[in-house]
Amino acid sequence: MAQTSAPPGAPGVADAFEGDPFRSLPWVDMRREYLGPQAQVRWEARVRVQGPDFAEDPMNVPIHVQVDPALGPVRQITVLVDRNPIRRVVDYFPVQALPSLSFRFKLEQASPVRAAVQTADGVWHVGGTWVESAGGGCTVSGATRKDGSWSQTLGEVSGRLFSGLPEGAGAASRLRLRVMHPMDTGLVGGIPAFFVNRLSVRDAQDRELARLHSYEPVSENPVFSFDFAQPPAGGVRIVGSDNNGNRITSRLE
């Protein structure tokens, strides 16, 4: 997994790229649209984004985002891909979880992949990595859409809670779950956008531990990994929905 994070420091100097270390033309508009026109942005090495050097399968590109605890409490993590036709991939709200997230997404062409992390003071801290790709991930139908099997498993959730993680993982417990869904981008002829847009992880007392808003570029049958400082007592409950209003609900002991 390659890792490229922007250097730490003050907001970028006034130039056409606003200090962007990738010198990406879409960045200025992305910053305004997704982070806010008046957002304070800092390039931050403590926001680590890990991905492959080359996306062998552009429909399933693994990404891991981890924020150094020294950065302070995290409100939100937004993952953006500059050169995708749909640039926003996920908004993650750790709530009581650790600021760490893993998943797979579709990549249309070689691009910077960024994580923008908002801390309690409202400042956005941005790190990223560059992923090479032959492309085409956003404009091709997934396997279950092609064979028609998606309707038989739609909304099914499977997962597992792991504890006793290796030293250095930075977490005492990890929740890995898969949601069966075609995650259509709407960019394939005759197939409208159809995707999981909200997931909430709750404990046995129905207290929210983490919340995720996902968008069209997330891979088919998405797998997400969430980290916790302590194992959730009594297991977890997963609730959510897709953009067509289909409900998702499951319980993991």
Side-chain angles (χ1 to χ4, degrees):
M1 300 281 278
Q3 176 178 314
T4 307
S5 291
V13 296
D15 62 20
F17 302 98
E18 297 187 348
D20 177 22
F22 296 107
R23 299 185 66 79
S24 172
L25 288 173
W27 166 248
V28 174
D29 289 336
M30 290 170 60
R31 195 252 320 151
R32 292 172 182 164
E33 179 176 358
Y34 300 112
L35 308 185
Q38 305 302 321
Q40 296 183 56
V41 175
R42 297 176 181 171
W43 308 106
E44 181 57 75
R46 290 174 292 183
V47 175
R48 294 186 286 271
V49 182
Q50 294 176 295
D53 291 321
F54 181 82
E56 295 184 5
D57 180 358
M59 297 186 70
N60 288 283
V61 182
I63 284 293
H64 175 64
V65 178
Q66 188 166 23
V67 182
D68 190 322
L71 200 60
V74 170
R75 289 180 180 173
Q76 177 179 342
I77 299 173
T78 293
V79 177
L80 303 169
V81 180
D82 294 34
R83 298 185 180 181
N84 261 8
I86 303 169
R87 292 171 175 160
R88 182 161 55 178
V89 185
V90 298
D91 293 323
Y92 179 49
F93 305 87
V95 190
Q96 297 184 48
L98 296 175
S100 172
L101 178 69
S102 298
F103 62 94
R104 293 174 182 262
F105 76 101
K106 310 179 192 86
L107 183 62
E108 185 64 16
Q109 59 181 301
S111 175
V113 180
R114 308 176 190 266
V117 175
Q118 188 181 45
T119 45
D121 57 6
V123 175
W124 289 94
H125 307 263
V126 183
T129 189
W130 179 276
V131 180
E132 290 286 347
S133 175
C138 293
T139 52
V140 179
S141 296
T144 60
R145 174 61 72 178
K146 290 178 179 177
D147 64 21
S149 62
W150 65 270
S151 61
Q152 302 169 25
T153 58
L154 183 69
E156 290 182 3
V157 178
S158 59
R160 184 177 175 186
L161 274 165
F162 298 88
S163 58
L165 299 178
E167 187 174 351
S173 179
R174 175 168 295 161
L175 169 64
R176 182 171 297 156
L177 61 87
R178 180 177 67 173
V179 182
M180 302 300 291
H181 203 285
M183 300 297 291
D184 298 311
T185 61
L187 301 176
V188 178
I191 303 175
F194 183 41
F195 57 97
V196 175
N197 60 2
R198 190 178 189 278
L199 288 174
S200 177
V201 180
R202 299 175 176 271
D203 66 12
Q205 286 74 46
D206 202 38
R207 294 173 297 198
E208 188 169 58
L209 304 178
R211 181 169 70 258
L212 181 80
H213 296 173
S214 58
Y215 301 91
E216 297 94 317
V218 172
S219 293
E220 176 186 34
N221 300 328
V223 176
F224 300 104
S225 293
F226 309 94
D227 289 343
F228 300 93
Q230 297 295 331
V236 296
R237 191 165 70 94
I238 313 300
V239 296
S241 62
D242 65 23
N243 67 319
N244 278 8
N246 296 300
R247 298 290 183 180
I248 297 167
T249 181
S250 182
R251 182 174 178 81
L252 301 175
E253 299 297 336

